[in-house]
Amino acid sequence: ERGCCGRWVGGGLAGIYKLSTESRDFIRAGLERSDSKRKQFMGSASVLTRGSYFVRSFRSTIIRMGVQKITSMEEYLAAIDSENLAVIDFYAVWCGPCKVMSPEVEKASEDPENLRKGVKFYQVDVDELTDVARKAEISAMPTFHFHKGGKKVFEQVGAQVSMFHTNVESFR
């Protein structure tokens, strides 16, 4: 939602308001209080005063799961055993196409529909977890495994952005 005179900036809502001298002094007095009193005064907002204007920004209430990095065989086995869709991105740091797909995986992990349906996104660095890569039979990067109900339902090899998003939508 947007507030009065508000606009989305960075990760939160910011509104710029014109203040009277009396209001500006009240805000400054609140900012000069101790931290505990400031929290009571400010709530979850932060205020930056600038001349006769102030900017109030609020933290977003959206929970972002993001992409979780798998660091062990146990984490991998737990990830693929999920009832909901689990998308596993097998990548290498040196891989150019993997670098192209990484922001797309991040974007898909923050898609509200994917969050609502409980889709989880994971990454496995094949150079760090060679045992996981061997178990998953990875032969090229990037490779995406789609697991649902504890079973692999699809494998995508290569950096095809539109195909990746289509697969996530169809299997979620």
Side-chain angles (χ1 to χ4, degrees):
E1 293 181 348
R2 293 178 184 233
C4 174
C5 305
R7 61 187 169 87
W8 286 101
V9 176
L13 180 67
I16 301 176
Y17 303 87
K18 178 81 170 157
L19 294 176
S20 66
T21 304
E22 182 180 304
S23 298
R24 188 175 64 241
D25 292 341
F26 177 74
I27 296 289
R28 282 197 183 127
L31 290 174
E32 292 170 359
R33 295 179 183 182
S34 69
D35 285 334
S36 62
K37 298 234 183 233
R38 185 179 309 159
K39 286 179 184 170
Q40 292 171 0
F41 175 76
M42 300 304 295
S44 64
S46 59
V47 173
L48 169 68
T49 58
R50 219 168 249 224
S52 60
Y53 293 90
F54 78 94
V55 176
R56 174 178 264 171
S57 64
F58 298 89
R59 281 179 269 139
S60 175
T61 56
I62 297 173
I63 297 172
R64 292 195 169 119
M65 294 300 294
V67 180
Q68 299 172 18
K69 185 170 182 179
I70 293 177
T71 58
S72 68
M73 178 65 84
E74 292 77 25
E75 287 180 13
Y76 171 72
L77 294 173
I80 65 174
D81 196 32
S82 172
E83 285 302 313
N84 294 332
L85 180 63
V87 180
I88 309 202
D89 172 13
F90 292 91
Y91 75 101
V93 176
W94 48 264
C95 169
C98 299
K99 292 176 185 177
V100 170
M101 290 302 292
S102 184
E104 296 300 323
V105 175
E106 189 70 36
K107 187 189 314 179
S109 74
E110 294 177 355
D111 181 315
E113 188 64 21
N114 291 336
L115 289 171
R116 190 177 72 73
K117 296 227 176 172
V119 180
K120 305 272 190 198
F121 293 84
Y122 301 94
Q123 286 186 320
V124 174
D125 184 339
V126 297
D127 291 329
E128 287 181 11
L129 295 175
T130 54
D131 56 336
V132 172
R134 196 174 8 259
K135 179 169 180 52
E137 299 176 353
I138 303 302
S139 59
M141 277 84 60
T143 296
F144 300 93
H145 283 186
F146 296 80
H147 290 265
K148 192 168 191 175
K151 297 183 181 184
K152 183 166 77 171
V153 293
F154 190 73
E155 178 180 280
Q156 175 187 331
V157 178
Q160 297 107 355
V161 174
S162 61
M163 182 180 176
F164 172 75
H165 289 293
T166 302
N167 290 331
V168 171
E169 288 175 19
S170 62
F171 291 112
R172 66 175 170 211

